[in-house]
Amino acid sequence: MPVITIKMKKTQAEKKKELIEKLTAAAVEVTNSPASAFTVFIEEYEPDSIGIGGQTLIEKLANK
């Protein structure tokens, strides 16, 4: 059972559904395995728990 894991900031349920569908479709295309073989995990983090270049994601977005 292949597993696809993506770690990201919290997002809307519709976007997660779309991401799961597209990641699965890409994996099926590349591996020629059936979609039912893949499990997708989305690990979500609060923006203050993500650091980029020494700043939290909240700070980074505020400085745009």
Side-chain angles (χ1 to χ4, degrees), residues 7-52:
K7 298 177 182 188
M8 58 190 282
K9 70 176 182 158
K10 290 199 176 223
T11 192
Q12 299 170 350
E14 308 85 52
K15 292 294 183 184
K16 289 188 279 188
K17 182 178 181 338
E18 181 180 359
L19 188 56
I20 289 168
E21 290 170 354
K22 289 184 177 185
L23 287 170
T24 301
V28 166
E29 182 180 334
V30 170
T31 66
N32 294 316
S33 296
S36 60
F38 293 93
T39 300
V40 177
F41 290 107
I42 298 176
E43 296 180 21
E44 293 183 290
Y45 298 91
E46 295 292 340
D48 64 347
S49 296
I50 300 171
I52 302 169

